[in-house]
Amino acid sequence: MPISDVSSDLTIQVVASTFALHKFPLISRSGRFRKLLLESKVSRISLPNVPGGVEAFELAAKFCYGINIDFTLSNVAMLHCTSHFLEMTEEFSEKNLLTRAESYLKETVLPNTSNTIHVLHHCENLLPLSEEINLVNKLINAIANNACKEQLTSGLLKLDHTFPSQKNTSIVMEQETPLDWWGNSFNVLSLDFFERVISVMKSKGLKQDLISKILVNYAHNSLQGTNVRDPLDIELQKNQRVIVETIVGLLPNQSRKSPIPMAFLSCLLKTSIATSASNSCKGDLEKRIGLQLDQAILEDILIPTNSSTSNTHHNTMYDTDSVLRIFSTFLNLEDVDDDEDSDFRDENQMMYEYEFDSPGSPKQSSILKVSKLLDNYLAEVALDSNLLPSKFIALAELLPDHARISSDGLYRAVDIFLKVHPHIKDSERYRLSKTIDCQKLSQEACSHAAQNERLPVQIGVQVLFYEQTRLRNAMNGGHNQTIFFGGIHGQFPQRSGSGIGSGAISPRDNYASVRRENRELKLEVARMRMRLNDLEKDHVSMKQELVKPHIANKIFKSFTKKLSKLNALFRINSVRGSGTGTGTGERSTSSQIRFPFHKRRCHSVS
């Protein structure tokens, strides 16, 4: 491949291509050729390791001949590496190839994040020389610095957009974020370069929400269109496992207010289980999901099992063990929050420690969402005939009593499980049914449970009892409720300070007062339940007494029978006395004395 019409005196072979060149132009620009050609008189040189290959060497050779070459984002990295390889520095010629390449990098590439990412991508094919000449590190630091600068500029633009000056009040435009400018450019990088860039960005203080968006975009581009359920493609699963473990290691710090979307965390966890990722990777994802569990939907926690590692005898559809750990993380977090709150309480406030928060508190709202989520999950996994009763019971018993306002969802899940698993042990059936709080069932659920043959008899009796109590209260016109709430309002006055306005009460004091009232309400409810139980016992005993034949009734009946016989005898004696006609008055008087009760009037025929 001759560059000049003059006959060549040097032949250079690069890979499979041959170049017919002249020694003088090469010696005048390249230190490497000067060493090779001046030390020995050779006419043929082989350069198999030229960075950039034939294309890069051809451009460098043209530059040696004085031909102008155009620098672009696609060739600047290889020309920079080739100039280092051929030693085309200022020592041998003014404005040499290396100087020209560095000038293009400084003016065009490094100030722009997207351009820098594009050039960094081309450095992947120039390893290890691009690392040795520090080009990769220079590009990575430039990307991180530009990202932080653009983040600051974007914040100032948002501030100016929120509080516009008088001159710009008529201009209203939606500001772009740095992610809109260059966020998707990272998808072209290899996993190794991407990991290094994100690590440097985090060290320089880039916001976690921007890092999260970059990670989401990169993971979506790297994992989309792949079938992780295919056990035959071992190499594909290995690559996916490396990607997932790397991205999980780059995620921002764990927090309840993490900017990472719940759907993204769920997708990573499902992929990590399917690809048999490390336990630390899966555990980290489970904890992150648990911290944000109140933001999850049912699809997020329906995590399929890994069929290649699960037990063939109990190959369930969903990984309930992972979900159990996720919910446990959320519940343990609630306990940690309670411990942290207790550090700010004084001794009087520490006397009023409760099991749950006020219904309007954010913590209670979160746990109610989680309880509904768990009930829906139980109803879904109950359809799996391979699911062991012990695992289902462990999930059903997980939440505390105050987490559910209504038990209808849990009852529905339990009923589905009993229907799909008709042959479970009676002990397991009873334990599973005990997780249902019959007092929190709606009227429709109570009616269904009372006729449900799948439930144990004890549970059916309990449902009937509470339904009877509810009907009695309804028939009494809410009299018990009137007494109950009247007693509360009469016993516990309103929280209005004398001398200090309600607005002066701090939120913590107000919160402690609400919890104190909840404690008193619970005690009053317990008293009313005990009183109701006593009334029920008295009512049952009265019914039994009315049904049994009493001993006094027997004595009274025998006494009346004897009395009727005496009356009959008296009537006979009185008839005989009236027939004789003598001593009638004396006999009558004596009979009256002997029988001091009134005689029945008898009519005789004279």
Side-chain angles (χ1 to χ4, degrees):
M1 182 180 294
I3 297 180
S4 173
D5 294 335
V6 181
S7 59
S8 64
D9 55 359
L10 179 64
T11 302
I12 299 178
Q13 183 175 358
V14 179
V15 192
S17 300
T18 303
F19 294 87
L21 303 176
H22 303 82
K23 295 180 180 180
F24 179 74
L26 300 179
I27 293 174
S28 63
R29 295 276 189 175
S30 171
R32 189 182 187 91
F33 281 118
R34 179 172 296 188
K35 293 177 183 179
L36 291 174
L37 296 178
L38 293 182
E39 292 177 358
S40 60
K41 296 182 179 180
V42 294
S43 59
R44 187 177 184 88
I45 299 176
S46 177
L47 299 175
N49 299 323
V50 176
V54 176
E55 180 183 2
F57 181 81
E58 183 177 359
L59 291 175
K62 288 182 178 180
F63 183 82
C64 292
Y65 280 85
I67 302 175
N68 187 35
I69 60 175
D70 294 328
F71 286 89
T72 63
L73 297 177
S74 300
N75 65 19
V76 64
M78 67 178 183
L79 287 176
H80 190 276
C81 293
T82 302
S83 61
H84 268 280
F85 178 78
L86 298 177
E87 300 178 16
M88 300 176 68
T89 63
E90 293 295 305
E91 181 183 353
F92 304 101
S93 177
E94 186 178 357
K95 294 182 180 181
N96 211 339
L97 183 61
L98 180 59
T99 304
R100 296 279 301 276
E102 290 180 343
S103 177
Y104 184 84
L105 287 172
K106 182 178 180 180
E107 296 175 1
T108 306
V109 177
L110 298 181
N112 186 279
T113 307
S114 297
N115 293 346
T116 310
I117 295 174
H118 189 83
V119 174
L120 180 62
H121 170 58
H122 286 281
C123 288
E124 297 172 1
N125 298 324
L126 301 171
L127 295 173
L129 184 59
S130 58
E131 285 278 12
E132 294 173 357
I133 63 177
N134 205 35
L135 177 60
V136 173
N137 288 333
K138 183 186 295 185
L139 294 173
I140 290 176
N141 288 325
I143 293 172
N145 292 331
N146 290 339
C148 294
K149 291 178 183 178
E150 291 171 0
Q151 173 183 268
L152 179 61
T153 304
S154 175
L156 295 175
L157 290 175
K158 286 184 177 180
L159 184 64
D160 184 62
H161 178 66
T162 307
F163 304 101
S165 60
Q166 295 293 332
K167 296 180 181 180
N168 298 328
T169 53
S170 60
I171 302 176
V172 179
M173 59 181 298
E174 183 178 357
Q175 302 296 338
E176 291 182 329
T177 64
L179 186 64
D180 297 325
W181 303 332
W182 42 259
N184 295 327
S185 302
F186 286 101
N187 295 336
V188 301
L189 296 179
S190 65
L191 184 62
D192 179 56
F193 278 10
F194 177 78
E195 181 181 9
R196 292 172 61 180
V197 170
I198 297 299
S199 299
V200 176
M201 282 183 167
K202 292 171 68 175
S203 66
K204 291 183 178 294
L206 190 67
K207 289 184 178 180
Q208 292 189 0
D209 57 343
L210 290 178
I211 293 178
S212 300
K213 292 180 181 179
I214 295 172
L215 292 174
V216 170
N217 287 339
Y218 188 85
H220 178 73
N221 183 74
S222 302
L223 299 175
Q224 67 177 355
T226 55
N227 183 16
V228 300
R229 307 289 293 180
D230 187 6
L232 299 178
D233 198 342
I234 300 177
E235 189 65 26
L236 176 61
Q237 289 192 9
K238 181 180 178 181
N239 293 335
Q240 287 183 325
R241 180 168 62 249
V242 173
I243 293 174
V244 170
E245 292 178 350
T246 302
I247 291 177
V248 171
L250 295 174
L251 292 176
N253 297 331
Q254 297 177 356
S255 171
R256 295 196 68 176
K257 298 181 180 180
S258 175
I260 308 173
M262 173 60 67
F264 176 63
L265 293 175
S266 175
C267 179
L268 287 180
L269 180 58
K270 294 174 183 177
T271 306
S272 65
I273 293 176
T275 57
S276 301
S278 63
N279 292 331
S280 60
C281 174
K282 291 184 286 188
D284 183 272
L285 290 171
E286 289 171 355
K287 188 173 182 180
R288 290 178 183 275
I289 295 176
L291 293 176
Q292 308 176 55
L293 191 57
D294 54 340
Q295 305 174 20
I297 60 176
L298 180 60
E299 294 181 0
D300 296 332
I301 60 174
L302 288 177
I303 303 171
T305 56
N306 189 346
S307 57
S308 60
T309 59
S310 60
N311 191 344
T312 56
H313 297 288
H314 301 287
N315 188 14
T316 57
M317 295 173 58
Y318 301 107
D319 192 341
T320 55
D321 294 334
S322 178
V323 173
L324 181 64
R325 291 190 292 268
I326 290 173
F327 278 88
S328 299
T329 299
F330 177 82
L331 296 177
N332 293 335
L333 178 66
E334 298 295 320
D335 297 337
V336 171
D337 289 346
D338 289 340
D339 294 338
E340 293 177 352
D341 291 342
S342 64
D343 295 338
F344 299 96
R345 300 190 183 101
D346 55 23
E347 293 181 359
N348 293 328
Q349 289 172 330
M350 290 296 292
M351 295 175 61
Y352 302 99
E353 190 65 34
Y354 311 110
E355 297 177 0
F356 59 92
D357 303 305
S358 58
S361 65
K363 188 186 298 183
Q364 184 69 7
S365 176
S366 298
I367 200 169
L368 290 178
K369 292 180 182 178
V370 171
S371 67
K372 293 180 180 178
L373 178 65
L374 180 57
D375 291 345
N376 292 333
Y377 178 79
L378 289 172
E380 187 69 27
V381 299
L383 297 170
D384 186 2
S385 58
N386 292 327
L387 181 62
L388 295 176
S390 59
K391 294 183 179 294
F392 189 86
I393 293 173
L395 287 170
E397 295 177 341
L398 190 60
L399 295 183
D401 294 337
H402 69 272
R404 291 184 176 91
I405 295 180
S406 172
S407 296
D408 287 8
L410 179 59
Y411 169 71
R412 172 174 169 265
V414 170
D415 185 51
I416 294 174
F417 186 84
L418 294 177
K419 186 176 181 179
V420 178
H421 304 77
H423 303 297
I424 65 173
K425 299 178 182 179
D426 292 339
S427 59
E428 294 174 335
R429 185 186 303 271
Y430 179 70
R431 183 182 173 187
L432 181 58
S433 301
K434 279 184 63 178
T435 60
I436 305 172
D437 188 350
C438 299
Q439 299 181 75
K440 296 181 180 180
L441 291 176
S442 64
Q443 187 173 0
E444 293 80 7
C446 282
S447 301
H448 187 276
Q451 306 174 25
N452 194 344
E453 297 180 353
R454 290 183 287 271
L455 294 178
V457 178
Q458 300 92 324
I459 303 300
V461 172
Q462 190 177 4
V463 170
L464 290 174
F465 170 75
Y466 287 118
E467 185 66 14
Q468 182 184 7
T469 304
R470 184 183 303 173
L471 291 175
R472 184 185 302 109
N473 292 336
M475 292 175 63
N476 292 337
H479 178 66
N480 292 341
Q481 280 189 336
T482 304
I483 295 175
F484 174 64
F485 288 105
I488 290 175
H489 292 303
Q491 185 178 357
F492 312 122
Q494 295 289 335
R495 292 181 294 106
S496 58
S498 58
I500 301 177
S502 60
I505 301 177
S506 66
R508 187 169 296 279
D509 293 337
N510 190 11
Y511 181 67
S513 179
V514 171
R515 298 187 71 179
R516 184 162 50 250
E517 288 183 2
N518 286 337
R519 170 77 174 194
E520 294 163 344
L521 287 174
K522 287 182 65 180
L523 293 176
E524 189 65 22
V525 169
R527 294 192 194 101
M528 293 303 297
R529 285 180 179 173
M530 294 175 62
R531 179 60 180 162
L532 182 60
N533 291 334
D534 294 338
L535 291 175
E536 287 289 334
K537 292 178 181 179
D538 294 341
H539 181 66
V540 172
S541 62
M542 290 176 62
K543 281 186 175 182
Q544 292 176 351
E545 292 295 334
L546 291 175
V547 173
K548 291 181 179 180
H550 203 273
I551 300 175
N553 294 338
K554 294 182 178 179
I555 297 174
F556 181 74
K557 289 181 179 179
S558 63
F559 177 73
T560 54
K561 289 181 180 180
K562 292 179 181 180
L563 186 60
S564 63
K565 291 180 180 179
L566 291 174
N567 286 333
L569 181 60
F570 173 73
R571 286 195 298 271
I572 295 172
N573 292 334
S574 63
V575 171
R576 289 176 181 177
S578 62
T580 59
T582 59
T584 307
E586 295 178 358
R587 291 172 182 168
S588 62
T589 303
S590 64
S591 65
Q592 290 178 0
I593 294 172
R594 293 164 61 184
F595 300 99
F597 46 80
H598 296 285
K599 298 184 293 182
R600 295 182 64 181
R601 189 178 300 276
C602 299
H603 303 278
S604 60
V605 180
S606 55

